[in-house]
Amino acid sequence: MSIINDSKGTELRVAVVQHDIVWLQPKMNTTALQALLTESLSEPENKVDLILLPETFATGFAVDEGVSEPKSGPILQWLIQCAQHCQAVVAGSVLVQMGAKQVNRFYWVKPDGTVMHYDKRHLFRLGNEGDYVEAGQARQVFTINGFRILPQVCYDLRFPVFQRNRNDYDVMVNVANWPAARRHVWDTLLMARAMENQCYVLGCNRVGVDGNQVAHSGGSAAYDFKGEAIMQLPDNQTAVAFVHLVKNQLEAFRAAFPAHLDADEFKLS
């Protein structure tokens, strides 16, 4: 596990982007996202520190379609340009070539062009993701404005041991292509992760029907450290929501109810 430091502060402003991904059309998707962000962030009051995009936001969850890109491919270049243009960290997952397979890589791209990443650890068995994708091994924590961020990708949400807060993060983010058929699980687990880890949780999901005819209803949302919803995007709509997180509110809650001090010690192999 590595912690990557950034500037300090007490507030974090996040734009959560929920959109309908056009199957296997990265240029069309990035062009649409650029227009959506330009419009959404045009007002000064909508300036943000972090922009979250869904899992495989440029291609759809097409692990068996040969759409992975090289390590410095065009989708990553678009993320770098987007971060510079918006003057915010931009994060979302991209299928990236890695030897004979690929990785489902959560990119964390800063306005100065710095690129960091987390590779999805838990691969979706029902979608045969493991046949085409190598599982990531390293747990990552990124830091922005004094907030420590644990990045997760879709199916990771079902595995609480990997996500257990070891007093090393303040916000869990999960970017996903979570299907409508299991939407209740998505809603429930986002809330549960916030409560059990005493952290903010941000879920960023897609909408629309993909090339495998799997429907996605969205459910992008933000929960506070008590599991209470502080933002919920409308179902089945492309939209951008703004979330304002306050560090001292989280710290005050943890100090008043320090359950984390009684957590079990453990190590992951």
Side-chain angles (χ1 to χ4, degrees):
M1 187 273 292
S2 62
I3 297 180
I4 302 160
N5 292 315
D6 200 42
S7 58
K8 294 183 178 180
T10 57
E11 299 183 353
L12 182 65
R13 296 158 297 176
V14 186
V16 179
V17 181
Q18 177 175 280
H19 78 114
D20 187 349
I21 304 170
V22 183
W23 191 247
L24 308 182
Q25 296 294 326
K27 182 63 176 177
M28 188 178 298
N29 286 311
T30 54
T31 298
L33 283 168
Q34 188 66 61
L36 179 63
L37 289 171
T38 298
E39 179 183 5
S40 301
L41 303 177
S42 60
E43 299 298 328
E45 62 267 24
N46 289 344
K47 178 175 171 55
V48 296
D49 308 298
L50 172 62
I51 298 168
L52 288 180
L53 306 175
E55 179 185 27
T56 57
F57 63 86
T59 61
F61 188 70
V63 296
D64 59 345
E65 295 283 355
V67 295
S68 60
E69 69 169 28
K71 291 183 180 179
S72 297
I75 302 173
L76 175 57
Q77 296 308 310
W78 177 81
L79 283 169
I80 293 170
Q81 294 169 9
C82 186
Q84 293 171 343
H85 176 74
C86 296
Q87 283 299 292
V89 171
V90 183
S93 98
V94 179
L95 297 171
V96 178
Q97 293 171 7
M98 187 65 61
K101 289 189 175 182
Q102 55 196 323
V103 289
N104 192 337
R105 177 157 291 176
F106 179 108
Y107 276 126
W108 178 271
V109 182
K110 297 167 64 175
D112 66 1
T114 302
V115 178
M116 303 163 188
H117 71 267
Y118 155 73
D119 291 339
K120 184 178 181 181
R121 164 88 167 203
H122 301 92
L123 305 181
F124 186 48
R125 184 177 298 273
L126 271 68
N128 300 316
E129 188 176 11
D131 293 343
Y132 307 96
V133 177
E134 289 285 354
Q137 298 301 315
R139 186 176 187 268
Q140 300 287 350
V141 175
F142 305 127
T143 305
I144 179 173
N145 288 20
F147 285 80
R148 299 165 299 170
I149 312 293
L150 179 75
Q152 300 284 273
V153 180
C154 203
Y155 194 49
D156 284 332
L157 187 61
R158 287 183 176 268
F159 302 93
V161 174
F162 186 64
Q163 299 176 337
R164 184 65 57 84
N165 197 339
R166 297 177 237 167
N167 304 324
D168 61 346
Y169 72 85
D170 308 299
V171 185
M172 179 190 298
V173 301
N174 187 296
V175 300
N177 272 215
W178 198 283
R182 291 181 288 278
R183 170 64 184 279
H184 177 66
V185 177
W186 166 259
D187 294 340
T188 303
L189 293 184
L190 287 176
M191 186 186 305
R193 297 293 167 266
M195 289 187 285
E196 69 192 9
N197 292 296
Q198 296 186 303
C199 67
Y200 289 109
V201 168
L202 304 177
C204 180
N205 195 25
R206 67 160 293 175
V207 293
V209 179
D210 70 16
N212 293 318
Q213 301 307 303
V214 176
H216 305 79
S217 60
S220 300
Y223 294 89
D224 71 7
F225 33 83
K226 295 180 287 186
E228 296 179 354
I230 54 179
M231 180 279 290
Q232 291 177 309
L233 272 166
D235 287 357
N236 302 306
Q237 294 183 31
T238 292
V240 178
F242 297 93
V243 183
H244 181 209
L245 306 182
V246 182
K247 182 76 175 292
N248 60 16
Q249 293 177 358
L250 170 62
E251 291 173 336
F253 176 78
R254 286 174 171 172
F257 192 81
H260 60 283
L261 298 180
D262 299 316
D264 301 303
E265 293 291 334
F266 69 95
K267 291 184 179 180
L268 290 174
S269 60

